[in-house]
Amino acid sequence: MDLKQVADDFKENGLAVVKGFASAEECEAMRDEMRKICADLKADEIHCFETESGRNDYFTQSGDKIRFFFDTDAKASADDLVKTAFTSLNKVGHALHTHPGVFQDLVTAPKTKEVLRAINLKKVCVPQSMYIFKQAKFGSAVPPHQDSTFLHTSPTQTVVGLWLALEDATEDNGCLWFIPGSHKPYKDESKREKLDHAFMNRVPSSDGSVKTEYRLGTSKKYYESCDYTWVPAQVRKGDLVLIHDMVHHKSLPNHSNKSRNIYAWHLFESSEASWDSDNWLQYPEGKTFMEFETQ
Ligand SMILES: O=C(O)CCC(=O)C(=O)O
C-alpha cells in the first residue's frame, strides 16, 4: 500500500483508492456472512429504501440495529423478497460492525488503522456501517451528495467514509463517481463565502453553539450550474475507497448483469469532535459508539 500517495490523493481530490486492500477471500467471507444474515430475514422486515425520503423510523432508528432496505425496483411479492433477499436488497445497515465477525474484524484491523493514520486520524468513533448491494439489472442510483449532509460532527466536521469493493465496480455496474477537489472550499473556514454550494453548513449562533443548516433544496441547481467534471472511480474487488465528508459523489443505476456489492463504514476523529444530535440516524440515549485509537 503506497499510503503516502493515498494521503496525497485524498487531500487533493477528496477521494482516494487503496488498491488491493482486502483479499478475494476476505471479500467472499463478507458476502457469505451477508448471505447468512439474509437467510434469517423475516417478512416484517420488508422496507424499501428511497434516498430522497429516507427519514422514516425504520431507517432513522437503525443506527444500533441490523435492518433491511429493499431496492424500490425489486419486483417481487413480499414472500419472494424474503427468499431472494440477497439479490433484492438495496442495503443492510447500520450496526454490522458492532457484532463480532468479519465486518468488525475489518473495521478494527491493523491494516485499517494504518490507512487511518496515513490521513491523520488518531482516535476514531464508528457511528455506522452498511452493506450496499447495487443489484444486477435494477440496482438503483445514489443521487449526488456530500456525506456531511447526513453525517456531521461538532465543533469541526471530521467524518470520513471507507468503502470496500466486494466485487469489481465499473462504469457498467454502477461504480462511484465524484467531482475531484469538490471538498476543498468547504474545509477552509476562512472561505465561508464558498459555502453557498455546500448542502450542509455549520452556522455559529449567538449562544456560542454551532448549528447545522441544510441546503438540500439547492442541490439540483448546484449540479446544473457546476463547472466541475464528474469522474468515475472504477475499482477492483478488494480495493478500499476513502471518501472525504465534503466531496460530491454519486453512483448510477446498475443496468448490467453483474452486481456491485460493497461494505462501507463512516467514522470521525473523536479526539476533536462529537457526533451531532441532529444527524439522520438516531441512537438510544446514552449509546456509545465503537471507539479506538489508530496507533
Ligand atoms: O455505494 C454507493 O453507490 C454510494 C455510497 C455512498 O454514497 C457513500 O457511502 O457515501
Side-chain angles (χ1 to χ4, degrees), residues 39-59:
D40 288 341
L41 181 70
K42 305 283 178 299
D44 62 357
E45 295 275 9
I46 305 291
H47 288 74
C48 281
F49 179 70
E50 290 168 65
T51 320
E52 304 291 356
S53 59
R55 284 212 211 207
N56 54 57
D57 288 352
Y58 187 76
F59 178 85

Side-chain angles (χ1 to χ4, degrees), residues 30-129:
M30 279 180 242
R31 298 187 74 217
D32 283 347
E33 181 59 22
M34 186 45 66
R35 281 191 190 91
K36 282 187 209 141
I37 292 171
C38 288
D40 288 341
L41 181 70
K42 305 283 178 299
D44 62 357
E45 295 275 9
I46 305 291
H47 288 74
C48 281
F49 179 70
E50 290 168 65
T51 320
E52 304 291 356
S53 59
R55 284 212 211 207
N56 54 57
D57 288 352
Y58 187 76
F59 178 85
T60 57
Q61 289 165 20
S62 65
D64 62 335
K65 301 177 187 72
I66 294 182
R67 287 194 160 169
F68 302 85
F69 302 93
F70 281 84
D71 223 290
T72 35
D73 287 339
K75 306 233 189 317
S77 70
D79 273 358
D80 284 343
L81 283 180
V82 171
K83 285 187 209 133
T84 62
F86 189 74
T87 49
S88 304
L89 278 157
N90 174 296
K91 71 165 148 180
V92 171
H94 287 90
L96 290 162
H97 62 291
T98 65
H99 296 260
V102 284
F103 298 114
Q104 186 173 87
D105 290 349
L106 180 81
V107 169
T108 57
K111 64 181 174 185
T112 305
K113 291 179 182 168
E114 201 184 336
V115 170
L116 298 178
R117 281 199 302 277
I119 54 169
N120 290 326
L121 295 173
K122 294 176 181 61
K123 189 176 180 192
V124 294
C125 272
V126 187
Q128 68 160 50
S129 70

Side-chain angles (χ1 to χ4, degrees), residues 128 130 132 134 140-143 145-147 150-151 161-163 174-176 243 249-252 260 262 264-266:
Q128 68 160 50
M130 57 197 171
I132 302 180
K134 190 77 92 174
S140 52
V142 173
H145 66 283
Q146 295 164 296
D147 287 347
F150 313 103
L151 307 162
L162 291 92
W163 185 105
C175 67
L176 287 173
I243 306 173
H249 61 288
K250 65 179 180 181
S251 65
L252 299 178
R260 192 228 65 182
I262 66 105
W265 65 106
H266 289 89

